[in-house]
Amino acid sequence: MPVIAALLLDGVPGHHVTTPAVCFGTADRCHPQVSYEVRLCAAPGFRSTGGPAAFGLAAPWGLDGLAQADTVLVPGHEGHLDGPPPEVVGALRAAAERGCRIGAFGAGTFALAATGLLDGRRAATARGLAAELARRHPRIEVDPDGVVVEDGPFHTAAGVLGGVDLCLRLITADHGVAVAVETERQMFLDLRADDAPAPGVPLSDGVLGPTLGWLEARLDRPLTLDDIAGQAGLTVRGLSRRFRAETGLPPLQYLLRVRIQRAQRLLERGDEPVARIAARTGLGTPANLRHHFQRYTGTTPSVYRAAFRSLVSSLTGSEDGPTGPDRGAAAH
């Protein structure tokens, strides 16, 4: 299992602490073939977190937690202009010497720069700190835009959203674009309804399996409880009990969820107008699709389509994202 060691320095913002755990943890939950261990590591005397999301924190691992790490990440922290403690510099240099992949985001790039490991390389930091990083470390070519920069085994990026981008870039390198895209979808774009089962988990492997397949093949048709019960060979009351037992949802709520998921996939994979997608998913009118889509996802179909294309483009380096047959391959 690859080990991701997040090296916490004094006053690390709380939202920077959670970034690696959320990104790599989501990849773990979404994909059976993905497995990461995220370690929170700190030097002796570590002083909790700072910033707008401050909270008390004790790192379970010391600097020895970096020794077997495959990747070391350095988040931002207060006091970045003072330089890291000597033992932190030594731990980062030791990790680099044994070929460890090292990343930093936000002010964390200053700690990595202080080791000399970025000399002669390109790097990024928070946009507001780029000029200061360049002034203090003239041997580093600083990217002023704060995009994710990869130079050899070193990966650097801007603040907390840059940290998310950096983690997704590492997931892409490890497991490919499809895994990274699905990870970000689950983090930001997927269904949020309180009654929805966990994403990525099969909704039923029991008696209803054939019925669920029958439903998914007929999403464009008007379907009633009597229709579904007749196909399943159950009474309406028995159907409702079975659906709740196997999917956690009443039949028509399950059907609506599947229709919204189909709409998501159609929005991702092509340029069909919303009216056509509404018809293909059985939601009828564009207004009805927009109403249910926003209720379940928190956004509109057009915004969802644009956001999905943006995240695919950021991971593939394409201006427009995947098109045609390749669009589906990138998403799944």
Side-chain angles (χ1 to χ4, degrees), residues 86-156:
E87 58 269 30
V88 169
V89 172
L92 287 171
R93 286 177 175 165
E97 287 173 3
R98 62 180 179 79
C100 184
R101 184 171 62 179
I102 301 178
F105 54 96
T109 304
F110 281 76
L112 187 54
T115 66
L117 294 169
L118 296 179
D119 288 355
R121 297 181 181 273
R122 296 177 60 245
T125 185
R127 289 174 179 83
L129 299 175
E132 183 64 20
L133 180 66
R135 188 185 70 80
R136 287 173 175 260
H137 300 278
R139 297 186 63 188
I140 299 174
E141 181 185 345
V142 179
D143 183 335
D145 294 326
V147 296
V148 178
V149 171
E150 177 182 351
D151 194 326
F154 302 104
H155 301 69
T156 52

Side-chain angles (χ1 to χ4, degrees), residues 222-244:
L223 294 171
T224 67
L225 279 176
D226 286 334
D227 294 333
I228 303 169
Q231 195 283 332
L234 298 168
T235 64
V236 168
R237 190 171 180 179
L239 180 77
S240 297
R241 284 198 302 266
R242 177 57 61 182
F243 257 86
R244 285 192 176 277

Side-chain angles (χ1 to χ4, degrees), residues 62-93:
L63 294 178
D64 59 324
L66 278 61
Q68 287 81 39
D70 300 277
T71 302
V72 174
L73 296 178
V74 187
H77 55 283
E78 296 174 353
H80 54 277
L81 299 181
D82 299 330
E87 58 269 30
V88 169
V89 172
L92 287 171
R93 286 177 175 165

Side-chain angles (χ1 to χ4, degrees), residues 1-4 34-38 68-71 101 174-175:
M1 177 187 301
V3 174
I4 311 293
V34 176
S35 180
Y36 289 105
E37 176 189 348
V38 178
Q68 287 81 39
D70 300 277
T71 302
R101 184 171 62 179
D174 292 343
H175 298 287

Side-chain angles (χ1 to χ4, degrees), residues 303-322:
V303 170
Y304 180 90
R305 174 178 270 165
F308 183 83
R309 289 182 178 179
S310 176
L311 78 88
V312 172
S313 295
S314 71
L315 292 170
T316 62
S318 165
E319 288 288 327
D320 301 314

